[in-house]
């Protein structure tokens, strides 16, 4: 992936997660600087952990564009909220799903750039995708989405496996990116709309 394209995907992913963090702040009636903190942690948390684990410069410290993207997304979301009388929870879940898909790809890509194996890259995609939202939910005293039994981290893993399958099959590079993105977002939105859940355990018998 070219550096310009990688930067673009990163900026869009940061913006989407910043929007989801701002919407969560609105839902929980967080005001003032608290909204900025919550949205910033959501947008930057996963990538920060990724870069620490890869022993890379922290992306938003190394390139200030990510902070611009975060703060602009927060500001535009706040301005939009002020002109909407009622905001559906579905908006938060949609922006979170797209951000999840984008950050999953970015985590995989950055890991492969650092010459890790594919298993590590897929794991890093999951880490990048879920960690910011996990911190957001913990701060807001919510059960994190990744812990609710819905397709969340599983959607990232599926997207990573599609990426790997297409890459090893010799598919054009753009198809690897699009396939992983579509799979992750589709599974996440499907879990929201249809209630898809992975069943790892049988239900306990009552009593």
């Amino acid at each position: 992936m070219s550096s310009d394209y990688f930067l673009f995907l990163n900026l869009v992913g940061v913006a989407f997660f910043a929007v989801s963090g701002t919407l969560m702040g609105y839902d929980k009636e967080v005001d003032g600087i608290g909204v900025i903190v919550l949205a910033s942690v959501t947008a930057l948390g996963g990538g920060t952990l990724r870069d620490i684990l890869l022993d890379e410069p922290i992306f938003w410290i190394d390139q200030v564009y990510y902070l611009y993207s975060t703060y602009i997304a927060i500001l535009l979301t706040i301005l939009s909220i002020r002109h909407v009388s009622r905001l559906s929870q579905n908006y938060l879940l949609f922006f979170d799903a797209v951000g999840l898909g984008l950050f999953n790809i970015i985590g995989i890509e950055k890991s492969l750039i650092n010459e890790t194996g594919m298993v590590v890259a897929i794991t890093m995609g999951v880490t990048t995708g879920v960690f910011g939202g996990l911190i957001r939910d913990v701060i807001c005293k919510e059960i994190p989405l990744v812990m609710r039994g819905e397709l969340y981290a599983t959607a990232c893993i599926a997207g990573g496996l599609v990426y790997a399958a297409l890459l090893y099959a010799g598919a054009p590079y753009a198809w690897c990116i699009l396939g992983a993105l579509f799979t992750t977002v589709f599974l996440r939105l499907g879990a929201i709309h249809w209630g898809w859940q992975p069943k790892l355990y049988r239900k306990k018998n009552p009593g």
Side-chain angles (χ1 to χ4, degrees), residues 89-133:
Q89 178 78 358
N90 291 333
Y91 287 106
L92 188 158
L93 296 173
F94 171 77
F95 279 97
D96 185 82
V98 177
L100 182 72
L102 289 169
F103 266 26
N104 186 37
I105 293 170
I106 291 163
I108 293 170
E109 285 290 315
K110 195 157 190 179
S111 187
L112 292 176
I113 289 170
N114 281 268
E115 300 181 350
T116 70
M118 184 57 74
V119 173
V120 173
I122 292 173
T123 304
M124 202 62 67
V126 175
T127 301
T128 308
V130 308
F131 194 71

Side-chain angles (χ1 to χ4, degrees), residues 5-15 50 59 66 103 106:
Y5 190 53
F6 185 80
L7 175 63
F8 173 75
L9 282 182
N10 241 322
L11 291 173
V12 174
V14 163
R50 173 202 65 216
F59 71 111
Y66 297 113
F103 266 26
I106 291 163

